[in-house]
Amino acid sequence: PNFRYDEGESTNDAISRIDAFLASLLPTLNSPTAVLTHGNIISLMARIPSGDEAFNFWQSIKTPDIFEYQDTSTHRLKRVSW
């Protein structure tokens, strides 16, 4: 989780960046809001540990796919059917 290439970003760096973004965004929202990103970021938002479970979750993401961010303390995502 801490490995990074030169001038790159580790998994933990990315999680910190995502958390800071969400912490600044969520208090300002007065209505449903869409945040668009790619599967790796969605996997990090869901806090799925690395390994088979993380890969299977990432692999299950459709293009496009919609998730509802339900709980900021547990980072729970819910796939929304559409």
Side-chain angles (χ1 to χ4, degrees), residues 24-33 35:
S24 69
L25 175 70
L26 293 175
T28 68
L29 300 178
N30 297 320
S31 62
T33 302
V35 176

Side-chain angles (χ1 to χ4, degrees), residues 1-4 16 19 22 24 26 30-32 37 44-45 56 62 66-68 71 78-80:
N2 291 312
F3 174 80
R4 77 171 64 87
S16 294
D19 285 349
L22 292 172
S24 69
L26 293 175
N30 297 320
S31 62
T37 189
L44 293 175
M45 288 174 66
N56 291 338
K62 297 172 180 52
I66 300 173
F67 292 87
E68 179 183 347
D71 188 335
K78 175 186 173 191
R79 180 173 270 128
V80 177

Side-chain angles (χ1 to χ4, degrees), residues 15-67:
I15 289 171
S16 294
R17 181 172 51 87
I18 294 162
D19 285 349
F21 168 74
L22 292 172
S24 69
L25 175 70
L26 293 175
T28 68
L29 300 178
N30 297 320
S31 62
T33 302
V35 176
L36 307 176
T37 189
H38 56 81
N40 289 345
I41 298 297
I42 292 170
S43 295
L44 293 175
M45 288 174 66
R47 293 299 199 279
I48 295 176
S50 61
D52 289 345
E53 183 183 358
F55 178 75
N56 291 338
F57 175 80
W58 172 82
Q59 194 174 38
S60 77
I61 297 172
K62 297 172 180 52
T63 305
D65 212 340
I66 300 173
F67 292 87

